[in-house]
Amino acid sequence: MGVTDKIVKAGAAAGALYVAYKYVDEKHNISSDVSLARRLLSLRGEMTSRFESGDYNVTSMWYETLKKNPKKTCFYYEDDQVSFEQVEKRSNQVAQWLLSKGLKK
């Protein structure tokens, strides 16, 4: 078997593999799952390095998200949508009320 024959067979195998992948992807939506897995792994690495640095915590995550997405929905409650901005405003109101009742930081 010559080099040309090997190249043709390799090309045919690659083509068949691609067609099979497209068929399976159409049936099971694998490409979006793979894309999501890549994004989650990337996010996991980023979050791990941030937490290990010691200067990143839940509070800093909250304020970062609030700054980026103040109008975005944070919670769904019954038929209402509550934005990050609304949650921040309400939590500050509760904190001020607790402080007025004598709660210490």
Side-chain angles (χ1 to χ4, degrees):
M1 181 184 309
V3 173
T4 305
D5 291 336
K6 289 180 181 179
I7 291 172
V8 169
K9 285 186 178 184
L17 185 60
Y18 178 76
V19 169
Y21 168 78
K22 286 305 223 179
Y23 174 78
V24 171
D25 185 42
E26 187 176 303
K27 295 286 184 190
H28 301 288
N29 205 16
I30 292 172
S31 61
S32 65
D33 293 343
V34 170
S35 177
L36 177 61
R38 282 185 185 149
R39 282 184 274 152
L40 289 174
L41 286 172
S42 173
L43 180 61
R44 179 179 177 220
E46 180 183 336
M47 297 305 294
T48 300
S49 65
R50 284 181 165 191
F51 281 116
E52 286 174 352
S53 71
D55 63 345
Y56 201 66
N57 54 40
V58 173
T59 303
S60 58
M61 287 173 60
W62 170 259
Y63 286 112
E64 184 178 299
T65 304
L66 176 64
K67 184 177 179 181
K68 286 181 185 176
N69 308 299
K71 305 287 186 203
K72 209 168 193 181
T73 301
C74 180
F75 295 113
Y76 292 93
Y77 178 72
E78 295 178 352
D79 293 332
D80 294 331
Q81 295 180 14
V82 184
S83 70
F84 284 94
E85 191 174 59
Q86 291 169 314
V87 171
E88 177 67 11
K89 181 180 177 184
R90 187 68 174 150
S91 68
N92 285 335
Q93 290 171 340
V94 170
Q96 291 302 314
W97 179 79
L98 290 169
L99 291 170
S100 75
K101 298 298 180 189
L103 183 71
K104 304 283 185 200
K105 287 186 179 182

